């Protein structure tokens, strides 16, 4: 799963050597992604006529955006797979700003581009005839900005990364939903509960007391709508938690004090205890005790000082006066209204919470008594990254990807880090920078697969809540083995602000929503992504192992007995979480140890740690030696 980069050929003296790469020779089916705006080199309108200009455009991986790089003349010719024409500065003029076009491939110097290393996998491309570099002209940030040649410099407009096709992935068609899936969660029956606001496409402030919801069936592609009013709660922009007893807790949002509970056993909503502090855009996480911690949320109620609270099934909400949301807020240009939103919170043990961001400073929170806070250091060199995405891909190990310096301002980042907080409050948190994503993203979603890989989906190049412009259409797959990102097939509909994504029981990913913010284009639809691990090497469907028998419940620290239809290599549990506004704090994957084996019957060890094995519904997956997963079996951990 390594990303292939253009190897720098030693015959070109001007080229700077890149780090060693597994790639040698020609590179096929690649996108050429500009670092200035995360857009792709594109032959205008997919044209096949010599002389057609090349611009940058939103990456779709469609005709005119897919190229082959072929070693030639001390560099590479870059050939458009659609028109079989070569990227060129026709005639090799040394004129600054001369247009880049596609021309009939002739092997001339004006069609040869030599990579210059810019760090990591980034390169500039120097034209062998002119000695000038490929650059994005005009603003360098918009669809249609031309590709030109300019004097070589280490600028974003002259920096590119190659993204060859690796493996197979695919999307379903566009599946209508009654409203945009602003929030979603997978139910034990495999269906997806989703909801929007007081109206299908419009939210409001104040206590109107209703929410449009639906249950989507990924098998039939159909969804049944329901308006929930019995809890007197507009559940727009709330906190969400999936409880130890299988219910879904929704708190705050437009109805800023309210709490609602959904029971998948009865398909019923009920009213929960009111919070002590009004809040919206806050985040929740379930503790090892089964209680729920919430923090932040100045979008609703007064600005600032959104103290932490803990929900208990018996006693309701308890305020933590010594846990002030302002102390966890980032330096957002929008002030505290935005700075204490969408925090990354993960339970540890029965009572502690690890705060990973989006602020650069991380913390430990003790939820007993009045609460207590202590520093966990900074997230490496990573600054405030609001609307980034974080997921637990392994036991107490997080992948953080993307984010922006302002909720509604600034550009998304490609920065990715792993965060290891397995040592708990008494040990240092280990933060490790990863190779960057291919695309800058704000408002993306991240979903962990049973393999431990993470899919990062959607987002925008620039942080804005009101437009589909600059949407990132190509998902990426991060591998914990190679620590790199590779591209997947582009989706059909932009998914960014007010979208959600969750892992389905069959190992595919539901992605939906977007809109519901006044001037937004609404997207009342969904698509389902089939990841590469469900395809064979020839591009056909992979043969999947089958879990033929499994316990439906397991106790922490005990064993779990499973039988499969063939030999498998690994098992993993993935907790069924809930997604909204880039956050899915309850989502986590835990690999299981095989304690004993007899034929195709396995005894698995369930970790005893209640902070890791948070009670509730998990999906048990068996994976074969090639990493192909079974369909997940629902197991209640308690």
């Amino acid at each position: 799963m390594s990303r292939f980069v253009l190897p720098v050929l030693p015959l070109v003296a001007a080229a700077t050597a890149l780090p060693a790469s597994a790639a040698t020779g020609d590179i096929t089916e690649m996108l050429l992604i500009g670092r200035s705006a995360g857009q792709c080199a594109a032959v205008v309108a997919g044209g096949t006529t010599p002389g057609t200009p090349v611009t940058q455009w939103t990456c779709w991986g469609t005709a005119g955006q897919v190229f082959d790089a072929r070693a030639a003349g001390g560099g590479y010719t870059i050939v458009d797979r659609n028109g079989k024409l070569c990227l060129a500065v026709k005639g090799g003029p040394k004129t600054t700003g001369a247009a880049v076009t596609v021309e009939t491939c002739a092997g001339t110097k004006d069609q040869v581009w030599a990579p210059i290393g810019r760090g990591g996998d980034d390169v500039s491309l120097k034209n062998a005839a002119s000695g000038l570099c490929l650059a994005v002209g005009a603003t360098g940030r918009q669809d249609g900005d031309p590709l030109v040649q300019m004097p070589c410099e280490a600028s974003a407009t002259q920096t590119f990364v190659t993204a060859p096709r690796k493996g197979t992935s695919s999307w379903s068609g566009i599946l209508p939903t009654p409203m945009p899936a602003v929030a979603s969660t997978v139910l034990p029956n495999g269906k997806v509960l989703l909801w929007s606001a007081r109206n299908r496409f419009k939210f409001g402030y104040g206590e109107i007391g209703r929410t449009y919801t639906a249950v989507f069936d990924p098998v039939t592609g159909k969804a049944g709508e329901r308006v929930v009013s019995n809890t007197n709660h507009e559940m727009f922009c709330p906190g969400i938690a999936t409880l130890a007893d299988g219910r879904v807790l929704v708190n705050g949002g437009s109805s800023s004090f309210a709490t609602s509970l959904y029971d998948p056993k009865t398909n019923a909503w009920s009213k929960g205890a009111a919070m002590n502090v009004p809040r919206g855009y806050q985040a929740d996480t379930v503790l090892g005790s089964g209680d729920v911690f919430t923090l932040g949320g100045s979008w609703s109620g007064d600005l600032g000082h959104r103290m932490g609270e803990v929900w208990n099934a018996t006693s309701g909400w308890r305020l933590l006066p010594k846990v002030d949301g302002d102390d966890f807020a980032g330096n957002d240009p929008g002030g505290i209204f935005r700075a204490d939103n969408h925090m990354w919170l993960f339970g540890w043990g029965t009572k502690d919470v690890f705060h990973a961001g989006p602020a650069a400073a991380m913390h430990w929170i003790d939820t007993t008594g009045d609460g207590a806070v202590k520093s966990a250091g900074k997230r490496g060199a990573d600054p405030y990254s609001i609307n980034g995405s974080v997921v637990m891909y392994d036991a107490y190990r997080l992948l953080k990807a993307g984010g922006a310096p302002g909720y509604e301002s600034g550009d998304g980042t490609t920065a990715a880090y792993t965060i290891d907080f397995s040592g708990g409050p008494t040990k240092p948190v280990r933060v490790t920078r990863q190779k960057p994503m291919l695309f800058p993203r704000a408002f993306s979603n991240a979903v962990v697969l049973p393999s431990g890989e993470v899919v990062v989906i959607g987002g925008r190049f620039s942080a804005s809540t009101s437009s589909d412009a600059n949407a990132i259409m190509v998902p990426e797959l991060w591998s914990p083995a190679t620590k790199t990102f590779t591209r997947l097939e582009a989706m059909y509909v932009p998914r960014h602000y007010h979208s959600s994504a969750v892992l389905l029981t069959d190992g595919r990913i539901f992605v939906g929503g977007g809109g519901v913010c006044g001037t937004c284009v609404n997207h009342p639809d969904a698509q389902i992504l089939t990841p590469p691990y469900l395809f064979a090497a020839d591009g056909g469907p992979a043969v999947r192992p089958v879990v033929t028998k499994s316990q439906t419940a397991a106790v922490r620290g005990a064993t779990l007995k499973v039988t499969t239809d063939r030999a498998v290599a690994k098992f993993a549990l993935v907790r069924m979480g809930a997604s909204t506004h880039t956050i899915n704090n309850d989502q986590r994957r835990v690999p299981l140890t095989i304690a004993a084996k007899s034929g195709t019957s396995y005894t698995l060890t369930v970790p005893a740690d209640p902070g890791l094995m948070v009670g509730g519904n998990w999906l048990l997956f068996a994976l074969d030696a090639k990493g192909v997963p079974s369909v997940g079996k629902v197991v209640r951990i308690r």
Side-chain angles (χ1 to χ4, degrees):
M1 297 298 292
S2 297
R3 182 177 345 148
F4 279 38
V5 298
L6 286 170
V8 177
L9 299 184
L11 296 178
V12 182
T16 302
L18 291 175
S21 168
T24 56
D26 298 346
I27 302 172
T28 59
E29 294 189 66
M30 73 176 188
L31 304 182
L32 190 59
I33 305 166
R35 287 303 198 192
S36 57
Q39 295 177 303
C40 280
V43 180
V44 170
T48 58
T49 304
T52 302
V54 181
T55 66
Q56 72 170 5
W57 203 263
T58 298
C59 294
W60 293 86
T62 48
Q65 291 190 356
V66 183
F67 298 89
D68 295 331
R70 299 173 182 166
Y76 291 85
T77 55
I78 299 175
V79 186
D80 169 31
R81 290 179 68 90
N82 180 54
K84 306 299 189 290
L85 302 174
C86 282
L87 214 66
V89 182
K90 189 173 182 180
K94 300 184 184 297
T95 310
T96 293
V100 174
T101 58
V102 285
E103 305 292 342
T104 302
C105 295
T108 51
K109 282 188 174 183
D110 62 342
Q111 297 180 5
V112 175
W113 302 86
I116 301 172
R118 295 300 186 196
D121 292 343
D122 290 355
V123 296
S124 294
L125 295 171
K126 185 175 183 178
N127 187 266
S130 68
L132 302 179
C133 280
L134 184 69
V136 183
T139 67
R141 300 170 64 85
Q142 301 298 323
D143 280 346
D145 283 351
L147 291 192
V148 297
Q149 65 176 7
M150 298 292 288
C152 295
E153 61 182 22
S155 64
T157 57
Q158 293 185 23
T159 303
F160 298 84
V161 63
T162 60
R165 179 187 175 96
K166 293 289 292 176
T168 303
S169 58
S170 70
W171 288 93
S172 71
I174 299 172
L175 306 169
T177 55
M179 73 288 294
V182 178
S184 62
T185 184
V186 176
L187 305 176
N189 62 7
K191 296 180 181 180
V192 183
L193 172 69
L194 55 94
W195 66 91
S196 177
R198 65 177 62 187
N199 296 306
R200 294 182 187 90
F201 309 113
K202 184 179 180 180
F203 75 94
Y205 298 94
E207 305 297 334
I208 195 170
R210 74 178 184 213
T211 303
Y212 276 77
T213 76
V215 174
F216 172 83
D217 187 339
V219 176
T220 65
K222 305 293 184 182
E225 183 181 79
R226 177 182 177 186
V227 181
V228 176
S229 58
N230 65 298
T231 66
N232 196 35
H233 187 180
E234 182 180 352
M235 295 177 279
F236 177 75
C237 300
I240 315 175
T242 51
L243 300 178
D245 62 9
R247 293 180 297 168
V248 180
L249 179 145
V250 183
N251 58 307
S254 288
S255 299
S256 55
F257 283 100
T259 300
S260 295
L261 295 157
Y262 173 80
D263 189 340
K265 291 180 181 178
T266 60
N267 190 29
W269 289 88
S270 61
K271 187 179 181 66
M275 290 185 292
N276 297 287
V277 176
R279 64 182 87 233
Y281 275 18
Q282 80 278 18
D284 294 353
T285 193
V286 179
L287 304 174
S289 63
D291 293 350
V292 176
F293 173 73
T294 194
L295 181 66
S298 286
W299 184 79
S300 289
D302 297 332
L303 294 179
H305 303 297
R306 307 291 86 192
M307 305 293 181
E309 295 186 64
V310 174
W311 176 88
N312 177 270
T314 301
S315 56
W317 292 98
R318 172 174 59 87
L319 193 65
L320 304 181
K322 293 185 179 179
V323 182
D324 188 337
D326 290 14
D327 295 335
F328 304 85
N331 186 22
D332 197 284
I336 196 64
F337 176 67
R338 293 302 195 189
D340 68 356
N341 298 178
H342 313 321
M343 294 186 192
W344 309 330
L345 305 171
F346 299 89
W348 194 94
T350 58
K351 65 182 182 63
D352 292 309
V353 173
F354 175 62
H355 163 251
M362 305 180 296
H363 301 85
W364 286 102
I365 303 166
D366 183 336
T367 63
T368 59
D370 289 342
V373 178
K374 75 174 188 175
S375 173
K378 289 193 173 181
R379 199 173 51 253
D382 192 35
Y384 175 59
S385 301
I386 190 69
N387 299 319
S389 51
V390 177
V391 62
M392 190 186 294
Y393 68 91
D394 202 347
Y396 291 132
R397 291 171 174 84
L398 309 175
L399 174 71
K400 176 269 173 186
Y407 199 102
E408 295 183 278
S409 60
D411 296 338
T413 178
T414 60
Y417 289 80
T418 55
I419 306 167
D420 182 344
F421 65 106
S422 58
T426 63
K427 299 289 179 63
V429 175
R430 295 187 293 273
V431 180
T432 306
R433 187 160 195 160
Q434 305 295 296
K435 284 191 174 182
M437 291 189 291
L438 298 168
F439 298 93
R441 299 178 191 264
F443 296 110
S444 59
N445 291 289
V447 176
V448 67
L449 301 179
S451 60
E453 298 166 305
V454 177
V455 179
V456 185
I457 302 168
R460 297 183 74 249
F461 161 64
S462 54
S464 172
T465 61
S466 60
S467 172
D468 280 349
N470 302 126
I472 305 298
M473 305 302 296
V474 178
E476 300 180 52
L477 181 73
W478 180 79
S479 165
T482 65
K483 312 295 186 186
T484 59
F485 292 87
T486 54
R487 71 176 171 97
L488 304 180
E489 286 297 308
M491 54 193 178
Y492 307 158
V493 177
R495 307 288 182 193
H496 43 87
Y497 190 55
H498 289 163
S499 66
S500 59
V502 287
L503 181 72
L504 296 173
T505 57
D506 63 5
R508 298 182 299 162
I509 297 174
F510 168 92
V511 184
V516 195
C517 62
T519 58
C520 291
V521 176
N522 291 303
H523 297 298
D525 48 52
Q527 283 188 266
I528 297 175
L529 172 67
T530 302
Y533 65 2
L534 293 178
F535 289 92
D538 63 2
V543 178
R544 305 181 67 169
V546 177
V547 175
T548 57
K549 187 178 180 180
S550 171
Q551 297 171 219
T552 58
V555 177
R556 290 182 291 245
T559 58
L560 173 62
K561 295 186 181 299
V562 183
T563 303
T564 60
D565 69 333
R566 70 198 71 182
V568 296
K570 298 177 182 178
F571 291 88
L573 284 167
V574 181
R575 195 167 190 274
M576 300 172 74
S579 170
T580 188
H581 291 81
T582 74
I583 297 296
N584 190 345
N585 287 337
D586 288 343
Q587 177 187 204
R588 54 180 59 197
R589 169 190 169 271
V590 178
L592 298 180
T593 301
I594 300 174
K597 174 185 175 182
S598 176
T600 59
S601 294
Y602 301 84
T603 300
L604 311 177
T605 302
V606 179
D609 182 354
L612 180 63
M613 301 306 305
V614 176
N617 290 324
W618 294 67
L619 291 172
L620 172 69
F621 292 93
L623 297 95
D624 68 15
K626 296 181 179 179
V628 179
S630 67
V631 171
K633 294 286 188 180
V634 178
V635 176
R636 177 71 62 81
I637 299 295
R638 56 176 187 259

